[in-house]
């Protein structure tokens, strides 16, 4: 679910001091975009939200969420936005966020 190698790479790129702040900004952006999904039109608005979430997800190593959003973005772009399972995207984010947070806490303890 989480690409921990990507997380370590991001930590190395930005430094341990700034990592928490960057994660917080990404999470806020994703939470806002996730919150907008239910009311988004099934065309360009959904496509843009999926693109935003996908980028943040992949930057943070949220593989499964990124894959779901890539598929949702492609579906919306092709005019099939109604087929996007928004609940699955929301659930994938919640699950990834939980695993990510727990994993970071374990890393700090270790």
């Amino acid at each position: 679910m989480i690409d921990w190698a990507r997380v370590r790479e991001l930590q190395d790129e930005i430094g341990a001091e700034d990592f928490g702040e960057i994660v917080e900004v990404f999470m806020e952006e994703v939470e806002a975009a996730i919150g907008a999904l239910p009311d988004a039109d099934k065309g360009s608005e959904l496509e843009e939200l999926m693109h935003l979430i996908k980028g943040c997800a992949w930057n943070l190593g949220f593989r499964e969420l990124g894959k779901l959003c890539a598929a949702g973005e492609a579906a919306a772009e092709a005019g099939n936005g109604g087929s996007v399972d928004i609940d699955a995207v929301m659930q994938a984010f919640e699950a990834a966020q939980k695993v990510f947070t727990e994993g970071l806490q374990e890393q700090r303890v270790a």
Side-chain angles (χ1 to χ4, degrees), residues 50 68 72 81-90:
M50 289 285 136
L68 279 174
S83 70
V84 176
D85 188 347
I86 292 172
D87 287 337
V89 171
M90 296 171 90

Side-chain angles (χ1 to χ4, degrees), residues 10-110:
L10 184 61
Q11 288 173 324
D12 290 344
E13 286 175 4
I14 62 175
E17 310 82 42
D18 296 327
F19 180 74
E21 185 177 322
I22 295 298
V23 167
E24 186 177 320
V25 169
F26 274 135
M27 290 295 190
E28 287 173 1
E29 287 182 17
V30 173
E31 287 173 357
I34 291 279
L37 286 176
D39 297 325
D41 70 50
K42 301 303 179 200
S44 62
E45 189 176 1
L46 180 61
E47 180 183 352
E48 290 173 17
L49 288 169
M50 289 285 136
H51 180 79
L52 171 69
I53 298 166
K54 175 189 75 177
C56 289
W58 283 343
N59 275 322
L60 286 177
F62 290 20
R63 286 186 309 227
E64 298 305 315
L65 178 60
K67 289 178 188 176
L68 279 174
C69 290
E73 179 184 11
E77 182 179 25
N80 298 318
S83 70
V84 176
D85 188 347
I86 292 172
D87 287 337
V89 171
M90 296 171 90
Q91 290 169 2
F93 173 66
E94 289 177 19
Q97 186 178 30
K98 182 176 190 266
V99 170
F100 183 79
T101 301
E102 289 171 357
L104 288 181
Q105 289 172 349
E106 289 174 11
Q107 287 181 10
R108 288 187 192 126
V109 173

